Structures are given as structure tokens and as C-alpha cells.
């Protein structure tokens, strides 16, 4: 099995991912991942949407499984056995857009996870001088995080990264930006970072 990162937005499929897809006969992925890879999937390739992620381990060994962004950043790479083809992640894109050093990143998953625990982890990491990259879900409340941070702490909401609708709003904990849609990440850092 091969787990292929398709990037976090259109046009972010790597040359390595394209090479793997050119030889694919059986592809599985979410509707979004399939849409991002559609142009690289060869004619005649059998394509299946994934709706039940519990049965991924039972897929045939020659299957190619698509993962949005990079499979090792809150993706399918750690859940499945097989070769992982990295992709361009939302972490890479957000930090590039914000011109923040990746070496200072602290990744905190909050997508489908305990938001209170994610906020507590974010506070701890920011206190250590790290740049927090929080993988949010639609229910994550940026204002809850902001209320617990020093007012000068920088906060960015990065939405629809790589899409035409991409939006990056930067503010402070005192005046936090809020997401407008469901597909977003939150980046937060103290004044000393740069």
C-alpha cells in the first residue's frame, strides 16, 4: 500500500506523488483528496471515496490511499502500513505565508479531539517560546484560546490554504481574528519569535 500526500490545496501535488499516481490501478481517498489529485489519476484507474476510515487496514496491498496535506501531519500515514509519499502540508504553507521558522513549530491536534486539552497544550508551548500550529476543526473557538493568552500574543487564522479563497488573518490575543469557514488552522506565537 502507498499513502500519498496530495498537498493542502490545488497545485501542491509533488512530482513524486504524480509518479506514484501514474502507475496506480486502485485509489482510495476522501472527496477532497480525490479532487486535489484528479488530474494525476490515470484513465481506467479504479477510484473509491472513503467514508468509513475504520476499514482502511483491510484495503488491498496495491491500493494507493490519498491523504490531504502530508500523511504524517495528522494524516493517514501513522495509521496504515505501507510506503508514505510526503505532501505539502498546511503547516508548511501557513508558516511560509507568515514567514515563521518551522524549527520553532509545536504541532497541536485539535481536530476531532479535546479542545480544552489542545488549548492547555498551546498555552504551555507558547510559554516555552514555541510557535503553535493548531489543527482545528469547525467547532474550535479561537476566542477561548485568545482569552487565556497575554494580549500581545500574535494569533493567525489561516483558512482554505492553497485555494483561491485562501485567507490569512493576523491579530493578537487581545483582538483575535476569527475564522469565517470550516477549513482552518490557528498559529499563535509570542513577541520574541522571529
Amino acid at each position: 500500500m502507498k499513502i500519498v500526500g496530495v498537498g493542502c490545496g490545488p497545485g501542491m501535488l509533488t512530482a513524486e506523488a504524480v509518479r506514484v499516481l501514474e502507475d496506480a490501478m486502485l485509489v482510495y481517498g476522501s472527496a477532497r483528496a480525490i479532487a486535489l489529485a484528479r488530474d494525476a489519476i490515470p484513465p481506467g484507474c479504479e477510484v473509491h471515496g472513503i467514508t468509513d476510515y475504520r476499514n482502511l487496514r483491510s484495503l488491498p496491498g496495491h491500493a494507493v490511499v490519498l491523504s490531504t496535506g502530508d500523511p504524517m501531519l495528522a494524516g493517514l500515514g501513522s495509521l496504515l502500513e505501507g510506503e508514505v509519499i510526503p505532501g505539502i502540508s498546511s503547516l508548511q504553507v501557513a508558516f511560509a505565508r507568515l514567514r515563521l521558522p518551522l524549527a520553532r513549530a509545536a504541532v497541536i491536534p485539535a481536530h476531532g479531539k479535546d479542545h480544552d486539552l489542545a488549548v492547555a497544550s498551546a498555552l504551555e508551548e507558547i510559554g516555552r517560546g514555541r510557535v503553535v500550529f493548531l489543527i482545528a476543526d469547525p467547532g474550535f473557538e479561537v476566542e477561548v484560546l485568545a482569552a487565556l493568552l497575554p494580549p500581545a500574543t500574535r494569533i493567525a487564522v489561516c483558512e482554505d490554504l492553497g485555494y483561491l479563497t485562501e485567507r490569512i488573518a493576523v491579530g493578537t490575543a487581545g483582538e483575535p481574528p476569527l475564522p469565517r469557514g470550516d477549513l482552518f488552522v490557528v498559529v499563535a506565537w509570542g513577541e520574541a519569535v522571529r
Side-chain angles (χ1 to χ4, degrees), residues 46-78:
E46 192 176 327
V47 179
H48 297 277
I50 298 173
T51 55
D52 184 358
Y53 287 84
R54 293 174 296 184
N55 296 322
L56 287 178
R57 287 189 177 92
S58 66
L59 296 178
H62 69 285
V64 173
V65 179
L66 305 177
S67 181
T68 53
D70 183 275
M72 299 309 295
L73 179 71
L76 301 174
S78 61

Side-chain angles (χ1 to χ4, degrees), residues 74-166:
L76 301 174
S78 61
L79 301 176
L80 299 171
E81 295 293 323
E83 181 182 356
V84 174
I85 312 303
I88 298 172
S89 69
S90 54
L91 169 69
Q92 293 167 294
V93 174
F95 274 53
R97 302 282 198 262
L98 294 166
R99 300 188 54 76
L100 292 168
L102 278 168
R104 301 287 295 273
V107 176
I108 298 177
H111 195 279
K113 302 201 183 309
D114 182 338
H115 291 178
D116 291 336
L117 179 60
V119 167
S121 297
L123 296 173
E124 186 177 319
E125 293 296 344
I126 291 167
R128 291 183 179 146
R130 305 293 301 273
V131 179
V132 164
F133 177 80
L134 196 141
I135 303 166
D137 61 28
F140 185 82
E141 296 175 350
V142 176
E143 55 270 43
V144 170
L145 172 63
L148 298 170
L149 290 167
T153 304
R154 307 288 289 163
I155 296 180
V157 170
C158 305
E159 296 179 89
D160 297 333
L161 291 169
Y163 289 86
L164 292 175
T165 55
E166 178 176 290

